[in-house]
Amino acid sequence: MTDTAYEPLTTETLAKRLGQITAITQKLGNDISGWTADEVGDGNLNLVFIVRSDQGAVIVKQALPYVRLVGDAWPLPLKRAFFEYNALIRQAERDPGSVPKVYHFDEAQALIVMEFLSPHVILRHSLMAGKRHQGLARRMGEFCARTLFRGSDLSMDTMRKKADTALFLDNGELCDITENLVFSDPYFDAEMNHHTPGLDPIVARMRADIDLKIAAQQMKARFATNTETLLHGDLHTGSIMVTDDETMVIDPEFATYGPMGFDIGMLIANFFMAYYAQPGHIPDAKMRADYQEWILSVITEIWTVFQDEFSRLWRSERRGILYQASLFEDQGDHLACEQALAAHIDHIFTDMLGFAGVEMIRRTLSLAHIAENDTIENETLRAACEGRGLRLGRALAVKRGDFAGMGAVLSLARAIDRKDWA
Ligand code: SR1
Ligand code: MG
């Protein structure tokens, strides 16, 4: 683009403004009169266009200078596009094929031109339609293990890690959103909070629950003060696109250095919420139960694959600042190396459960909810689904250190689902 002052694109101006960019014309051709642009953004923050010609299609994502969900009363810096671009590049290196290819980045216009994923759909929509996806759990377990390991002090040397941490530290406004919406707002009467009216009694109990409030602040401290690895930062089921057998991760604009358990915790929380929302989407009891079990099997497999892949990387690629081979393998001390790995995975597991718990609570009480629940029109049914999620969320946050393994977590999830809490 020749103009450098930021200006939001429109479906009318897009072709003219982007028509000179070689990276795009290589995909769409030079005849911009044949290009069409549709704005398809359904997230909370940005403009997203699908631009098509008879030769191909690309996605153009542009940051707006405010939070789209709320409007211009809530300004938000454009630089988040820079962090999204930088995160996409790192994720592509660390887990090739897991994210859309980036064709072009324009920092002044806060826009990224990237691969149009087709026939992919947003996983959250698919979970509302009762669809199953082959390889979903495997890919997400691998994605988390590879990006979290390779973005950490276990893989990076001191200078690289420090420089990259400093770079992403500037994504502060997005961290501030997470710190407030996820860890604090649900626990008091914050301005933008909203919830289904039938939840009033449980919400009052939760806001008076000292153990829960402290647990949420402990998780906030883990998030705000720990730079273990480069996180995606917003890894929910709306940030995943799927076909029957392919899984891709999108939207890492909340990327920041933080604790390993954060991404994977957010991820499993969103599967648990989809699990509890199914009474609002599948009326047949048997079909619903089968589908709910499939969702739980995805959670189990994500965690199993994560552990396996993380362990493989620990044993084969641990060349960073922490747990140097010179202290372990080089001295023939393989046992200590395995012991340290087990302890590391244990601490990720505990953090993961804590982050999953607060994510489930915030998606029901804070500003940004989830479509699985929002689309349940019957308020009594919606409150029942959301209430179960709140109960599991509370248990995961407060008792995160007490679960023997994922099997115990799933047993509790099922027990909460079976009970009529009305
Ligand atoms: C104001 S942004 C609200 C939420 O949308 C994003 O997807 C993040 O999850 C954020 O918390
Ligand atoms: Mg997003």
Side-chain angles (χ1 to χ4, degrees):
M1 248 173 345
T2 48
D3 45 332
T4 51
Y6 170 82
E7 201 185 322
L9 293 162
T10 66
T11 50
E12 288 76 32
T13 60
L14 188 144
K16 189 151 179 286
R17 290 184 63 199
L18 304 186
Q20 304 302 314
I21 298 169
T22 313
I24 307 179
T25 55
Q26 277 172 349
K27 300 285 168 198
L28 302 183
N30 291 309
D31 178 11
I32 65 167
S33 68
W35 294 15
T36 60
D38 296 300
E39 208 278 310
V40 296
D42 69 348
N44 295 329
L45 301 180
N46 307 295
L47 295 171
V48 181
F49 300 89
I50 302 175
V51 191
R52 293 184 174 91
S53 76
D54 55 9
Q55 289 185 34
V58 296
I59 289 289
V60 176
K61 179 171 178 180
Q62 187 179 35
L64 286 165
Y66 53 83
V67 175
R68 182 174 183 166
L69 175 68
V70 175
D72 54 11
W74 186 350
L76 199 62
L78 298 172
K79 65 185 176 187
R80 63 187 189 272
F82 169 84
F83 296 108
E84 174 160 358
Y85 166 69
N86 274 281
L88 281 170
I89 288 173
R90 285 157 181 73
Q91 289 165 347
E93 271 172 16
R94 291 167 186 165
D95 188 17
S98 64
V99 297
K101 292 186 191 79
V102 173
Y103 301 138
H104 177 75
F105 170 58
D106 183 329
E107 190 171 352
Q109 296 301 325
L111 73 80
I112 305 171
V113 182
M114 59 189 128
E115 184 182 5
F116 172 53
L117 300 175
S118 176
H120 301 66
V121 295
I122 294 285
L123 174 60
R124 191 183 294 291
H125 299 160
S126 195
L127 295 174
M128 288 193 277
K131 301 224 171 88
R132 292 168 166 82
H133 299 278
Q134 253 184 28
L136 164 66
R138 165 152 297 282
R139 280 308 295 121
M140 290 314 301
E142 287 170 350
F143 175 82
C144 288
R146 290 173 188 168
T147 57
L148 298 177
F149 184 95
R150 290 175 173 152
S152 79
D153 305 79
L154 294 167
S155 173
M156 286 202 269
D157 67 39
T158 298
M159 293 315 290
R160 218 174 124 226
K161 170 73 195 321
K162 269 39 173 187
D164 217 46
T165 308
L167 182 90
F168 279 91
L169 261 183
D170 194 29
N171 203 13
E173 291 82 355
L174 281 276
C175 293
D176 185 55
I177 290 179
T178 302
E179 286 160 9
N180 288 312
L181 296 192
V182 177
F183 300 101
S184 289
D185 285 6
Y187 306 98
F188 73 106
D189 192 15
E191 200 187 334
M192 289 178 297
N193 285 351
H194 58 104
H195 62 259
T196 306
L199 295 173
D200 281 347
I202 188 175
V203 173
R205 282 202 302 280
M206 290 177 92
R207 291 200 178 134
D209 184 336
I210 295 167
D211 292 334
L212 177 58
K213 208 164 10 184
I214 291 173
Q217 288 306 294
Q218 287 168 340
M219 297 319 298
K220 185 175 187 175
R222 298 280 304 136
F223 176 76
T225 67
N226 179 303
T227 60
E228 226 171 17
T229 191
L230 180 63
L231 301 174
H232 175 285
D234 197 23
L235 194 56
H236 54 80
T237 49
S239 298
I240 298 171
M241 296 192 73
V242 285
T243 64
D244 287 345
D245 56 6
E246 194 177 68
T247 300
M248 304 283 279
V249 177
I250 61 170
D251 272 6
E253 68 204 315
F254 281 77
T256 183
Y257 275 85
M260 297 226 176
F262 184 82
D263 278 352
I264 190 164
M266 290 260 143
L267 183 62
I268 67 163
N270 279 267
F271 281 108
F272 277 125
M273 289 185 284
Y275 167 79
Y276 286 126
Q278 290 309 318
H281 300 284
I282 306 181
D284 180 83
K286 168 81 175 79
M287 281 174 67
R288 181 169 68 241
D290 286 351
Y291 191 60
Q292 285 182 303
E293 278 306 310
W294 178 77
I295 294 177
L296 294 187
S297 78
V298 169
I299 295 173
T300 304
E301 194 183 343
I302 288 174
W303 177 241
T304 306
V305 170
F306 174 84
Q307 289 178 87
D308 290 349
E309 181 66 0
F310 191 90
S311 301
R312 185 185 73 77
L313 296 171
W314 177 283
R315 291 172 190 132
S316 60
E317 283 190 18
R318 213 179 64 255
R319 290 187 281 274
I321 305 163
L322 296 177
Y323 300 97
Q324 301 106 298
S326 49
L327 296 173
F328 294 96
E329 289 91 335
D330 295 358
Q331 300 190 27
D333 205 348
H334 293 279
L335 206 59
C337 174
E338 290 298 305
Q339 192 177 320
L341 168 62
H344 212 81
I345 287 180
D346 267 1
H347 112 91
I348 297 173
F349 183 71
T350 306
D351 269 6
M352 171 183 75
L353 297 186
F355 288 122
V358 294
E359 167 72 357
M360 294 180 74
I361 294 168
R362 77 94 171 209
R363 291 287 184 188
T364 304
L365 305 187
S366 181
L367 169 69
H369 291 202
I370 57 164
E372 288 95 320
N373 288 330
D374 283 351
T375 52
I376 303 175
E377 280 177 19
N378 178 328
E379 275 196 6
T380 310
L381 179 58
R382 191 195 319 140
C385 298
E386 291 177 330
R388 292 188 180 101
L390 289 176
R391 284 175 171 88
L392 182 64
R394 194 253 175 215
L396 295 183
V398 174
K399 304 285 183 193
R400 62 191 183 279
D402 295 351
F403 290 90
M406 193 55 98
V409 177
L410 265 45
S411 298
L412 178 64
R414 290 190 188 96
I416 289 172
D417 191 52
R418 278 193 297 270
K419 197 163 147 88
D420 183 2
W421 296 91

